[in-house]
Amino acid sequence: MKITLKTSHLKSILEVVKKGLGSGKILPITEFIEILFVDGAMFVTSTDLTTWVTYKMPYELPLEPEQELSIIVDGNKFHQLISKTNVENVEMELKGDVLLVKGNGVYEFPTLQEEFPDYFFQELYSKDSINVEKLKKAISQNEGSVATDMIMPCLTGYCVGKDITTTNSIKMTISKDVNVCDNNILIPQQVATLIQVLEDDEATISVGEGTILIDTSNITIFGPLLEGIEQYPNLDFIIQKKFEGSVDINIKNMLDILERLKIFSDPLNVNGVILDFKEHFISVYDHSQNNVERLNYVKKHKFIPYTLTVDIRFLEELLKKTSGSVATINYGDSSLIEIVGESVNHYLCLINDGED
């Protein structure tokens, strides 16, 4: 029984599925992918036993009704071979416990003779017609504010509902009106990363007991939800803050300044950058105040003279996660600043009290 696929299509499939592979150091099965033929379709699946990624497409094999063909091969090696194949089609044939792959040459892949891991999902509620591009953009924007330590495990995830919120207690990001679900849930980083492989314009998101299933016409992602949504901080008091000063800046120009001033920063000491808001520009100093550059405003909404200090790395990370060429900086609060971009609001705590 021979299986023929366009090489370009198989490359695209494996680029998606490889994102779900595990390391295999403890559980070797997580290095493998399953190629399953059943009910007139082909399903290619990878898993790290926490999350599953499946790519599906129509493909007819001469199988009996309800009969299936499962081929389990080393996912990394299979991906590496196909990525280096430059003929138009790839032909596969199962002979005993070996998969023969014919491309530029003929290659043998031993198959694993065991059942591929599956998951159990029982839906509690779902929402159709999620805008995939809006969701992917929001996750990318919010990534810079996700906590990377386990002091509060719930902060290592994305609080997803009408908006998407992330915070590590120093940085906070809100992507507005993504409209994923009516009740807030916590999506862990590994699931959020996998969402970036989705190709369709729309998706259905289904929530189970501690699990989530994201489904499109050709890709399905299954994974866990993070516990602790009840402990996730209520950040309304930050969102409702009023700022006395507000100016627009060119994002690239500020990032270029920060890149140069980082040369003089000390990651082991106070890794700050000083923003001194003047009438027509910001004076941007390194923390020693020995090095300075000037950044002219693109637009001045409300001006007050003010000086503050923030972490140079955190400011850079948030600006890099702000789409568009211009961002609004709202300032004048003694504890934080707000950076507003297209459909996103970032908040960054000050290193000092920010007073003159």
Side-chain angles (χ1 to χ4, degrees):
M1 191 178 297
K2 294 183 179 180
I3 302 150
T4 303
L5 294 166
K6 283 194 172 297
T7 305
S8 58
H9 194 181
L10 186 54
K11 286 181 179 180
S12 298
I13 291 171
L14 296 175
E15 281 299 316
V16 169
V17 173
K18 76 169 185 176
K19 300 291 198 306
L21 288 169
S23 67
K25 292 180 180 178
I26 299 175
L27 296 167
I29 189 66
T30 62
E31 286 186 327
F32 287 76
I33 60 171
E34 180 186 44
I35 307 171
L36 174 67
F37 297 88
V38 62
D39 296 332
M42 180 179 79
F43 301 84
V44 185
T45 301
S46 62
T47 182
D48 61 5
L49 298 185
T50 302
T51 56
W52 276 255
V53 179
T54 298
Y55 198 107
K56 49 196 173 180
M57 60 172 281
Y59 198 99
E60 291 284 352
L61 278 183
L63 300 172
E64 298 295 326
E66 300 185 6
Q67 184 184 5
E68 63 181 44
L69 174 64
S70 173
I71 305 169
I72 303 173
V73 295
D74 186 303
N76 286 310
K77 288 183 179 179
F78 192 63
H79 169 260
Q80 289 171 24
L81 173 66
I82 301 305
S83 69
K84 300 177 189 301
T85 299
N86 57 19
V87 294
E88 184 177 358
N89 296 311
V90 172
E91 186 179 280
M92 297 181 285
E93 184 177 5
L94 189 62
K95 288 194 172 182
D97 58 0
V98 172
L99 180 67
L100 293 179
V101 179
K102 183 178 179 181
N104 293 92
V106 181
Y107 312 90
E108 291 189 357
F109 283 84
T111 61
L112 201 60
Q113 301 301 303
E114 61 180 79
E115 188 174 345
F116 196 76
D118 202 355
Y119 57 85
F120 172 77
F121 178 72
Q122 186 171 0
E123 180 185 304
L124 295 178
Y125 59 90
S126 66
K127 187 167 182 179
D128 297 327
S129 301
I130 303 299
N131 186 305
V132 170
E133 283 307 309
K134 185 181 287 188
L135 175 59
K136 290 163 69 172
K137 179 181 177 182
I139 286 171
S140 178
Q141 290 175 159
N142 281 66
E143 186 178 14
S145 295
V146 177
T148 56
D149 58 55
M150 295 300 290
I151 296 173
M152 285 186 67
C154 65
L155 299 187
T156 63
Y158 297 68
C159 182
V160 175
K162 180 178 181 294
D163 306 324
I164 295 183
T165 303
T166 51
T167 182
N168 69 353
S169 299
I170 298 173
K171 297 178 287 180
M172 170 181 158
T173 298
I174 300 175
S175 293
K176 296 182 176 179
D177 299 323
V178 187
N179 297 313
V180 174
C181 50
D182 298 327
N183 302 314
N184 285 347
I185 56 176
L186 276 179
I187 294 180
Q189 182 65 63
Q190 66 265 36
V191 174
T193 299
L194 289 174
I195 286 172
Q196 298 297 342
V197 306
L198 297 177
E199 298 173 343
D200 283 5
D201 295 331
E202 294 185 345
T204 296
I205 291 187
S206 303
V207 176
E209 190 65 47
T211 55
I212 185 170
L213 185 75
I214 305 166
D215 194 36
T216 67
S217 66
N218 62 341
I219 297 172
T220 300
I221 299 168
F222 170 83
L225 293 176
L226 270 181
E227 296 181 353
I229 189 63
E230 301 82 5
Q231 286 79 48
Y232 204 85
N234 185 330
L235 302 170
D236 288 347
F237 74 100
I238 291 179
I239 300 168
Q240 294 164 5
K241 277 184 177 289
K242 303 297 182 183
F243 295 88
E244 297 180 63
S246 179
V247 296
D248 288 352
I249 63 164
N250 181 285
I251 295 172
K252 182 182 183 304
N253 291 348
M254 177 60 95
L255 285 172
D256 289 344
I257 290 172
L258 297 179
E259 190 67 28
R260 289 186 286 269
L261 288 180
K262 274 197 310 182
I263 298 169
F264 305 97
S265 68
D266 182 2
L268 301 179
N269 200 349
V270 179
N271 200 23
V273 61
I274 299 170
L275 306 181
D276 187 6
F277 292 84
K278 304 290 190 181
E279 179 69 25
H280 301 293
F281 58 86
I282 306 174
S283 291
V284 187
Y285 297 86
D286 73 322
H287 197 258
S288 69
Q289 299 190 52
N290 294 326
N291 306 285
V292 61
E293 291 201 35
R294 175 185 293 186
L295 179 67
N296 292 330
Y297 302 134
V298 173
K299 185 176 182 179
K300 187 167 56 176
H301 301 285
K302 296 183 296 180
F303 171 74
I304 60 166
Y306 204 85
T307 303
L308 57 88
T309 305
V310 293
D311 188 293
I312 191 170
R313 299 160 304 170
F314 292 165
L315 179 59
E316 181 182 47
E317 288 167 1
L318 293 181
L319 286 172
K320 284 181 176 179
K321 294 295 182 181
T322 306
S323 58
S325 60
V326 174
T328 300
I329 296 185
N330 295 324
Y331 66 96
D333 184 87
S334 62
S335 59
L336 51 79
I337 60 170
E338 179 182 34
I339 302 167
V340 182
E342 298 173 0
S343 72
V344 67
N345 295 60
H346 301 294
Y347 299 86
L348 179 58
C349 291
L350 308 186
I351 288 179
N352 56 24
D353 62 10
E355 296 179 357
D356 293 325

